Amino acid sequence: MSESTYPSVKDLTLEEKASLTSGGDSWHLQGVESKGIPGYMITDGPHGLRKSLTSSTGETDLDNSVPATCFPPAAGLSSSWNPELIHKVGEAMAEECIQEKVAVILGPGVNIKRNPLGGRCFEYWSEDPYLAGHEAVGIVAGVQSKGVGTSLKHFAANNQETDRLRVDARISQRALREIYLPAFEHIVKTAQPWTIMCSYNRINGVHSAQNHWLLTDVLRDEWGFEGIVMSDWGADHDRVASLNAGLNLEMPPSYTDDQIVDAARDGRIAPAQLDRMAQGMIDLINKARAAMSIDGYRFDVDVHDEVAHQAAIESIVLLKNDDAILPLNADPAAARKIAVIGEFARTPRYQGGGSSHITPTKMTSFLDTLAERGIKADFAPGFTLDLEPADLALESEAVETAKNADVVLMFLGLPEAAESEGFDRDTLDMPAKQIALLEQVAATNQNVVVVLSNGSVVSVAPWAKNAKGILESWLLGQAGGLALADVIFGQVSPSGKLAQSIPLDINDDPSMLNWPGEEGHVDYGEGVFVGYRYYDTYGKVVDYPFGYGLSYATFEIADVAAAKTGANTATVTATVTNTSDVDAAETVQVYVAPGKADVARPKHELKGFTKVFLKAGESKSVTIDLDERAFAYWSEKYNDWHVESGEYAIEVGVSSRDIADTVVVTLEGDGKSQPLTEWSTYGEWETDPFGAKIVADVAAAGEAGELTKLPDNAMMRMFLNSMPINSLSTLLGEGGKKIAKFMVDEYAKLAK
């Protein structure tokens, strides 16, 4: 064996194979030094590298880590709707991993924002699985393009922090397939993440780490996943059951490799299964070897900071801009007197709390940026960044500062104590002291712009009347101050679009009926009606809809057309024009609206998007392809995706509720049908290709007197169509039995 070649699993002893399926410590793989297998480091993401300064000892320290670029967490970056930009972020993250000798960075997290109160919403992408998958894939592809691995997480249904280590998520197969799995599926099939991290929770009674259906049947056999599956830290409760289910790696180690050895010896683990799991670990190490062999590499701190800067710019969503209060003029000769109020302007909340907490290479607040650019402003903190009662002296100072200004920029939001990994929020509201201060300021100055800092949505409607402008800036990473100044003073036009609906009231959210569960379980009773799928289908008024975001420019979408490219595929085209004198970007969104269906389907679903930058007055044509999955739903009857024949509306717009035009395509359907039996209804026989012929034969035989004639009045036909044919005797007596036997016998002949 040469020094440049790792061994195969055949070169290892049983004990060595077992050792590869558990970590060496909290942050390292367990190598086999005698066989040339190193114990590479794996550590936290997902919005930048969090490598603990004590990582070499295997200890966990969430607050003391090496400097790394803090990019906007997914709460912000998801609003960019820009996969190419996200890919650049991934590339930069990988370069930092190479410098720090980290083989796998743990992220991205693509769990669905089922409820906006979820404590980890700040590092998840969207309430929509299509958007989450098609954005987060950029992180995976970008990181791995540099020879560093990612860990797509948390597989699956980790949608709350309450009781997250053991809660049983009870979810229908249809909801799993349409909402909670597609982001994972798309990324696996498109980018093949080197690793996937399973979640803590149970799914329909089975812990994810021990779920053979999830880790093997679906992930590997159906989707073709080629990498390894690791546990979330402490999620493996039975090493033998987990390995048999398809878990390659327990993290951190429980120092129980002897359990795997004993189970392999007594037959509870098949030799081939242990070999597969251990070989996966060798393959992972082999993939990372080239990048981990680079010595002396140093990433360019300034270049990465600029990537973070651009990512932050595109994360900002302009929610309100009455009287065109934004942008402000930065020219000292023409500028209005500015007051900046709110501690967030000086002490930005730029990332979420918990395991992803990064020590940034730089940190630029909004006030820092104003000073660097020579923009004068009076500042008052107004409140403290905690959940303590209001400080009257700070409030009084802020109100006085506002009185003397032409325009007030108020920086409000959620302090870290209000949202973090580890707990769910109990309200959508911001701290009451901040809202009270806004009311006082607005009473003395009508020109208020609110700049929000938050990891998930907050209530806006109760206080929006006190602000002419509202910027939703989420958590913007280390360059957020620069990005906010660029947008506020008009160097760039805001282009972010909401990846998450903002409801008027948390009780409008359909998941609240089952949030966060009880007695160790949570029922996903809303099924596929999550976020805008519910709000739009049932006509619920929202504050700001999914996909919404204003610009300093104006746009027009025209020439919308759709052409079939196959039996169940289509291409959508449109022309986008910047009708203003401001260079800016617009995001064209394509929603598919099914016609009449055999199951309850949402009014429409996002199935394509593209972000287009246009100079003032410029037009561009866009093309978005819709594959068969764009029109399909998961049929529990067929245990498969199903496209029904018929008309589908294709909506092209700039939010889920701002549709510029709608066109219709007629699809042939996939032709799926189930075998007919005596338990199939008469109506199902009528709509089946074979069954329809037999139904016609029954009618003919009735007219000829060979079988009992079926009733032809409307009421009786209604009962007949909904009735399994083995119950026809309840309507037709003995004649009904003969009809049922005739139909089953004829079907057996035709189906041969």
Side-chain angles (χ1 to χ4, degrees):
M1 180 177 65
S2 71
E3 291 183 0
S4 62
T5 305
Y6 284 111
S8 82
V9 72
K10 296 177 183 177
D11 300 314
L12 305 182
T13 66
L14 174 59
E15 289 76 11
E16 289 168 341
K17 294 175 188 178
S19 72
L20 290 178
T21 66
S22 181
D25 59 37
S26 291
W27 303 112
H28 292 84
L29 304 177
Q30 188 168 183
V32 182
E33 189 173 335
S34 63
K35 299 291 173 63
I37 302 176
Y40 286 144
M41 185 176 189
I42 59 179
T43 195
D44 285 319
H47 55 273
L49 178 64
R50 192 202 66 79
K51 178 185 176 183
S52 173
L53 287 170
T54 59
S55 60
S56 60
T57 65
E59 298 177 7
T60 299
D61 185 345
L62 300 182
D63 297 320
N64 201 6
S65 57
V66 301
T69 308
C70 182
F71 299 96
L77 196 53
S78 62
S79 293
S80 74
W81 292 58
N82 188 342
E84 291 77 18
L85 171 65
I86 295 165
H87 191 280
K88 291 179 182 177
V89 171
E91 290 177 322
M93 287 167 56
E95 291 175 1
E96 302 190 18
C97 289
I98 291 171
Q99 173 178 303
E100 296 297 332
K101 299 289 187 181
V102 171
V104 176
I105 189 167
L106 305 179
V110 296
N111 296 99
I112 294 299
K113 298 183 183 185
R114 176 180 176 238
N115 184 301
L117 297 178
R120 216 160 179 175
C121 281
F122 69 89
E123 64 180 31
Y124 292 156
W125 290 77
S126 180
E127 67 189 33
D128 180 82
Y130 183 92
L131 183 62
H134 284 72
E135 288 194 301
V137 69
I139 297 292
V140 175
V143 170
Q144 294 184 177
S145 71
K146 300 286 187 177
V148 175
T150 55
S151 193
L152 188 63
K153 62 184 186 180
H154 304 85
F155 193 56
N158 174 207
N159 309 110
Q160 63 185 64
E161 294 297 281
T162 303
D163 206 19
R164 67 172 176 160
L165 300 184
R166 60 181 184 174
V167 70
D168 183 10
R170 298 178 180 176
I171 316 174
S172 71
Q173 278 295 309
R174 186 176 167 212
L176 275 169
R177 295 290 192 159
E178 292 190 28
I179 304 295
Y180 300 101
L181 296 184
F184 291 99
E185 180 184 3
H186 174 75
I187 295 171
V188 165
K189 290 180 175 179
T190 304
Q192 281 292 346
W194 291 5
T195 83
I196 283 180
M197 183 190 294
C198 74
S199 57
Y200 288 113
N201 51 277
R202 291 174 287 167
I203 300 175
N204 295 327
V206 182
H207 279 287
S208 294
Q210 298 166 213
N211 195 321
H212 188 278
W213 172 82
L214 185 71
L215 304 186
T216 297
D217 296 346
V218 173
L219 179 60
R220 289 189 168 93
D221 295 346
E222 186 180 323
W223 296 351
F225 177 61
E226 299 169 358
I228 69 107
V229 180
M230 71 174 73
S231 72
D232 202 341
W233 267 230
D236 186 358
H237 306 294
D238 183 330
R239 289 198 62 191
V240 174
S242 294
L243 191 143
N244 281 331
L247 187 83
N248 300 78
L249 177 65
E250 172 203 46
M251 287 301 292
S254 58
Y255 306 102
T256 55
D257 293 344
D258 58 311
Q259 293 180 6
I260 301 299
V261 172
D262 292 344
R265 285 177 173 156
D266 66 23
R268 286 177 291 137
I269 294 176
Q273 179 66 3
L274 177 56
D275 284 356
R276 278 192 293 270
M277 297 298 99
Q279 185 63 51
M281 297 307 303
I282 295 173
D283 293 343
L284 172 63
I285 291 165
N286 205 28
K287 289 176 185 175
R289 185 181 186 188
M292 294 301 98
S293 298
I294 299 172
D295 292 324
Y297 179 82
R298 289 293 178 265
F299 71 89
D300 190 317
V301 172
D302 293 333
V303 169
H304 287 197
D305 186 60
E306 181 53 35
V307 174
H309 176 200
Q310 186 61 39
I313 287 172
E314 297 198 35
S315 297
I316 297 168
V317 182
L318 178 60
L319 296 180
K320 184 178 181 181
N321 197 25
D322 288 357
D323 299 333
I325 192 169
L326 293 176
L328 303 182
N329 194 332
D331 183 352
R336 291 183 286 177
K337 188 174 182 181
I338 300 169
V340 177
I341 294 174
E343 184 60 46
F344 288 111
R346 179 170 63 183
T347 311
R349 181 161 176 251
Y350 54 93
Q351 63 180 331
S355 62
S356 63
H357 205 276
I358 293 166
T359 300
T361 58
K362 299 182 177 183
M363 191 63 245
T364 308
S365 72
F366 182 72
L367 288 185
D368 293 335
T369 305
L370 294 187
E372 290 172 3
R373 297 182 181 181
I375 300 173
K376 294 183 178 181
D378 295 324
F379 171 69
F383 52 84
T384 53
L385 296 182
D386 53 34
L387 301 179
E388 296 301 314
D391 183 314
L392 296 181
L394 290 179
E395 286 189 343
S396 178
E397 178 193 13
V399 172
E400 286 302 312
T401 301
K403 284 181 181 178
N404 299 318
D406 297 316
V407 63
V408 179
L409 302 176
M410 285 203 71
F411 285 70
L412 309 177
L414 296 177
E416 188 165 313
E419 62 174 351
S420 171
E421 177 185 356
F423 63 89
D424 294 317
R425 293 159 62 195
D426 57 13
T427 178
L428 280 189
D429 297 335
M430 291 187 296
K433 65 183 179 183
Q434 295 185 32
I435 305 304
L437 178 61
L438 171 61
E439 291 175 350
Q440 294 176 58
V441 167
T444 64
N445 194 316
Q446 295 182 346
N447 295 315
V448 177
V449 175
V450 169
V451 181
L452 294 172
S453 298
N454 45 288
S456 184
V457 299
V458 295
S459 296
V460 175
W463 51 263
K465 64 180 181 296
N466 294 313
K468 284 188 176 180
I470 303 173
L471 283 172
E472 174 55 272
S473 69
W474 307 109
L475 308 176
L476 291 179
Q478 68 182 50
L482 295 167
L484 283 167
D486 288 342
V487 169
I488 289 171
F489 292 100
Q491 275 77 21
V492 294
S493 175
S495 64
K497 300 284 186 176
L498 293 177
Q500 187 180 9
S501 306
I502 302 181
L504 285 170
D505 188 300
I506 187 57
N507 292 311
D508 292 337
D509 190 286
S511 66
M512 285 304 292
L513 286 172
N514 298 285
W515 177 270
E518 59 192 20
E519 297 184 334
H521 70 270
V522 54
D523 293 317
Y524 285 47
E526 68 279 2
V528 300
F529 293 93
V530 176
Y532 75 90
R533 284 169 166 79
Y534 171 76
Y535 298 131
D536 292 0
T537 301
Y538 292 98
K540 298 294 182 180
V541 177
V542 295
D543 204 356
Y544 296 98
F546 176 81
Y548 175 90
L550 300 176
S551 171
Y552 297 152
T554 56
F555 301 91
E556 180 182 83
I557 297 177
D559 305 324
V560 174
K564 284 180 62 178
T565 54
N568 300 304
T569 58
T571 291
V572 183
T573 56
T575 300
V576 191
T577 302
N578 183 338
T579 56
S580 72
D581 58 1
V582 178
D583 298 346
E586 179 62 289
T587 299
V588 180
Q589 304 166 34
V590 175
Y591 296 83
V592 171
K596 184 179 180 182
D598 288 343
V599 298
R601 299 193 66 175
K603 177 182 178 181
H604 56 191
E605 299 175 302
L606 180 74
K607 294 300 178 183
F609 65 91
T610 186
K611 191 168 190 174
V612 187
F613 179 82
L614 298 166
K615 291 186 176 296
E618 184 181 10
S619 295
K620 286 184 182 178
S621 295
V622 299
T623 300
I624 296 173
D625 294 324
L626 299 176
D627 60 13
E628 189 164 304
R629 275 285 292 274
F631 302 98
Y633 67 88
W634 182 264
S635 169
E636 296 192 5
K637 180 170 70 173
Y638 297 120
N639 194 36
D640 198 1
W641 294 100
H642 180 38
V643 179
E644 295 181 300
S645 61
E647 291 187 344
Y648 291 78
I650 297 175
E651 305 170 345
V652 179
V654 294
S655 82
S656 74
R657 295 199 176 179
D658 189 352
I659 304 300
D661 201 357
T662 301
V663 293
V664 174
V665 294
T666 302
L667 304 183
E668 298 172 24
D670 55 28
K672 284 187 174 77
S673 63
Q674 277 199 324
L676 296 172
T677 69
E678 62 178 342
W679 282 99
S680 303
T681 68
Y682 198 82
E684 290 169 342
W685 280 80
E686 283 187 314
T687 57
D688 182 87
F690 290 142
K693 181 180 183 306
I694 295 169
V695 166
D697 291 343
V698 169
E703 292 294 336
E706 297 167 1
L707 289 173
T708 300
K709 188 174 181 179
L710 295 173
D712 59 5
N713 69 76
M715 182 61 71
M716 293 299 286
R717 293 294 297 192
M718 181 188 71
F719 283 115
L720 179 66
N721 285 341
S722 63
M723 185 176 286
I725 64 169
N726 62 10
S727 298
L728 289 177
S729 59
T730 61
L731 286 182
L732 306 173
E734 189 65 27
K737 289 184 178 181
K738 291 180 179 179
I739 291 174
K741 184 176 186 309
F742 172 82
M743 294 174 72
V744 170
D745 290 346
E746 289 299 304
Y747 185 79
K749 296 175 187 176
L750 289 174
K752 282 184 179 179

